[in-house]
Amino acid sequence: MQVTETLTDGLKRNFTVVIPGSDLSEKRDKRLAELSKTMQMPGFRPGKVPLSMVRKRFGEAVAAEVLEASVNDATDKMMAERSLRPAVSPKVEVVNAGTEADLEFKIEMEVLPEVTLPDLKSLTLTRPVAPVTDAEVDEAIAKFADQRATLVPVEEVRPAVTGDIVTVDFLGKLDGTPFEGGTAQDSDVEIGGSGFIPGFAEQIEGMSVGEEKVINVTFPTEYHAANLAGKDVTFDITVKALKQKIPAVIDDAFAETNGFENLEEFRKFFKDRLEQQRAGASRMKVKRALLDELAKQADFPAPETLVEAEFAEIWRQVEAERAGGRLDAEDAAKDEETLRAEYRAIADRRVRLGLLVAEIGRSTNLQVTEQDLRRAMINEMQQFPGQEKMIIDFYQKNPRAMDRLRGPIFEDKVVDHALELATVTDQEVTAEVLFADDEE
């Protein structure tokens, strides 16, 4: 086998490979001889069919089989000898594959860059933590109890006040024209509650059953529907009913009604749940900080093929959000060229960070086990109660689908390994700061 490197440009490598025709001929003859030992034809004893007849019947198929195997074997051998790690499967083009002539083919590939491992022990990170207070447990239980309050129709004619539930019909208009999603009948609105756009419930306060009113509301600038974000609209309101909340009494009896032995166990449940939520948020914050630090050290070039694939996936999501009117207002204001450039930079960062994370895991022999995959599948089932059988059936019928779970599991293993080596200092913050979304 003769290998000639024809291009070295950054991470791009091109080669021309020539395999002597005699080598292929020898392999074809050997394969045909193997077939003759098992081939059966009328008039011949098993294994005694002449090689000429075997060649006539299977010659073309064997030639194609030997050609494919020779190309694959030569490509693998060439990469192993040169310690090349392709970013994606190499592109192979056969130049000459005559029956008697030498086999010549070209290989085009992009190789993975040399990745220098960071000194994880030198990393210094801050992990925000927010201890759960008794007051926060009380607040969580109060919200839970509020959702189970008894609603009693208000018989007397009186204005709606804070805490009341008002049943209304409404019709939203933008520039005098009804807009999609702005109409509802028999919709319950809590005065002083959340769930509606700012200013909506506030202007219904004081209205009585049978009263009609036109209110003016401004949608938030970050509203998910781009055609309404930051826009001034009106709503035609008709009050149809009024209900008053009778709060639940939070005591041992209330705890027992909800499946707990007593109020103390009830409080413990809420405290544990809050602590779990905050532990998850703390981990996400310190994980993001860690990956940001690693990204700074991933200063090697990224293979263009991987960046293009990552960008294509990101851009598909951007276009889907734009088509559905869900594109972020800030992105919607940018021209196409600027938006593409920004997301391509994000794709480049993701690829470089992914390669660095993969190299850390490879160097420390981190593995994703079958137990890890089963645990991830169980967690997925817990997120979709009632659909457990469907999820199990999906993975049983699509074994490769399990591979999509490997990436996040592997990344978490690398994060755990890095955090064990890095210097991590806890910093106490409020719950609001802990759960605030930081811009990437």
Side-chain angles (χ1 to χ4, degrees):
M1 179 178 76
Q2 179 182 347
V3 180
T4 304
E5 187 166 354
T6 58
L7 174 68
T8 301
D9 182 12
L11 299 177
K12 295 180 180 179
R13 302 284 188 278
N14 289 357
F15 300 90
T16 296
V17 180
V18 178
I19 300 177
S22 56
D23 290 358
L24 272 69
S25 179
E26 182 180 340
K27 291 179 181 178
R28 289 193 295 267
D29 289 345
K30 181 178 180 181
R31 179 61 178 141
L32 290 170
E34 291 174 352
L35 291 173
S36 69
K37 295 177 182 179
T38 57
M39 186 175 176
Q40 296 184 11
M41 289 186 66
F44 297 94
R45 287 180 296 166
K48 298 298 182 179
V49 179
L51 188 60
S52 59
M53 298 187 68
V54 178
R55 179 177 285 107
K56 182 177 181 180
R57 183 167 181 179
F58 295 107
E60 290 186 6
V62 167
E65 176 186 321
V66 169
L67 173 66
E68 181 179 4
S70 297
V71 169
N72 292 338
D73 292 345
T75 301
D76 291 342
K77 181 180 179 182
M78 184 274 295
M79 290 191 297
E81 289 177 346
R82 287 166 170 74
S83 300
L84 297 176
R85 291 193 295 157
V88 296
S89 296
K91 178 182 177 182
V92 177
E93 178 186 359
V94 176
V95 177
N96 184 21
T99 304
E100 301 300 330
D102 294 344
L103 168 62
E104 180 180 349
F105 61 96
K106 296 180 179 180
I107 303 174
E108 296 181 9
M109 68 170 67
E110 234 186 336
V111 298
L112 294 176
E114 290 293 328
V115 177
T116 301
L117 292 175
D119 180 9
L120 299 178
K121 293 182 180 179
S122 69
L123 296 179
T124 301
L125 303 169
T126 300
R127 175 170 45 216
V129 294
V132 177
T133 66
D134 289 341
E136 288 169 333
V137 175
D138 291 338
E139 182 181 357
I141 293 176
K143 288 181 179 179
F144 178 85
D146 184 67
Q147 295 170 357
R148 285 151 183 77
T150 303
L151 299 181
V152 178
V154 176
E155 302 296 341
E156 62 176 308
V157 178
R158 66 164 178 79
V161 297
T162 300
D164 284 343
I165 305 297
V166 185
T167 303
V168 302
D169 291 346
F170 60 79
L171 172 63
K173 298 178 182 178
L174 174 62
D175 297 328
T177 302
F179 57 85
E180 184 178 356
T183 303
Q185 294 182 332
D186 297 326
S187 179
D188 286 341
V189 180
E190 181 181 355
I191 304 301
S194 60
F196 281 72
I197 55 178
F200 188 94
E202 290 85 345
Q203 295 182 65
I204 296 176
E205 184 174 1
M207 294 182 67
S208 304
V209 175
E211 186 177 349
E212 298 180 357
K213 182 180 180 181
V214 178
I215 65 174
N216 298 291
V217 175
T218 301
F219 276 94
T221 55
E222 68 278 6
Y223 194 67
H224 63 83
N227 62 314
L228 296 174
K231 297 296 179 62
D232 294 328
V233 301
T234 62
F235 282 96
D236 298 344
I237 305 292
T238 300
V239 177
K240 301 178 70 174
L242 183 64
K243 288 169 280 193
Q244 183 179 13
K245 277 186 177 182
I246 305 299
V249 178
I250 302 174
D251 55 13
D252 286 340
F254 180 70
E256 291 174 9
T257 301
N258 288 281
F260 295 88
E261 292 185 6
N262 49 47
L263 185 56
E264 182 180 354
E265 290 296 320
F266 192 50
R267 289 181 60 82
K268 183 178 183 304
F269 167 80
F270 275 90
K271 184 175 183 179
D272 289 346
R273 188 168 69 172
L274 288 173
E275 288 177 340
Q276 289 173 4
Q277 292 171 349
R278 295 185 186 189
S282 291
R283 175 177 169 78
M284 288 304 298
K285 291 275 187 171
V286 75
K287 175 181 176 179
R288 178 181 296 179
L290 169 66
L291 295 179
D292 285 344
E293 287 299 316
L294 292 179
K296 294 176 184 177
Q297 302 190 39
D299 55 357
F300 45 81
E304 291 182 11
T305 47
L306 296 182
V307 174
E308 286 297 328
E310 183 66 25
F311 172 74
E313 178 60 24
I314 294 175
W315 195 251
R316 183 190 64 78
Q317 296 174 12
V318 170
E319 290 187 321
E321 290 175 357
R322 180 158 51 192
R326 302 184 302 274
L327 191 63
D328 179 85
E330 184 178 346
D331 280 353
K334 298 173 184 174
D335 61 78
E336 186 89 353
E337 184 178 354
T338 299
L339 203 57
R340 281 181 172 271
E342 289 181 355
Y343 279 111
R344 190 175 297 279
I346 291 174
D348 180 83
R349 178 186 185 275
R350 286 185 182 178
V351 169
R352 287 186 291 104
L353 179 57
L355 291 175
L356 181 55
V357 167
E359 190 63 23
I360 293 172
R362 190 174 75 92
S363 67
T364 52
N365 198 33
L366 295 176
Q367 302 289 333
V368 177
T369 66
E370 290 300 319
Q371 185 177 0
D372 292 328
L373 293 172
R374 284 195 297 271
R375 189 181 301 114
M377 187 173 67
I378 291 172
N379 289 338
E380 185 172 331
M381 288 190 293
Q382 290 174 343
Q383 296 176 21
F384 301 96
Q387 301 182 37
E388 291 85 355
K389 185 178 185 305
M390 183 178 70
I391 293 173
I392 292 174
D393 290 345
F394 172 76
Y395 283 115
Q396 287 179 340
K397 295 177 182 177
N398 303 277
R400 289 188 178 181
M402 193 71 82
D403 289 340
R404 73 180 178 84
L405 300 176
R406 291 182 181 274
I409 296 173
F410 183 80
E411 182 179 271
D412 277 340
K413 283 178 175 282
V414 173
V415 168
D416 289 339
H417 170 73
L419 291 178
E420 287 179 2
L421 297 177
T423 300
V424 182
T425 304
D426 288 346
Q427 179 183 28
E428 190 169 322
V429 299
T430 64
E432 290 74 19
V433 171
L434 179 62
F435 288 104
D437 291 327
D438 296 331
E439 293 185 2
E440 295 187 359

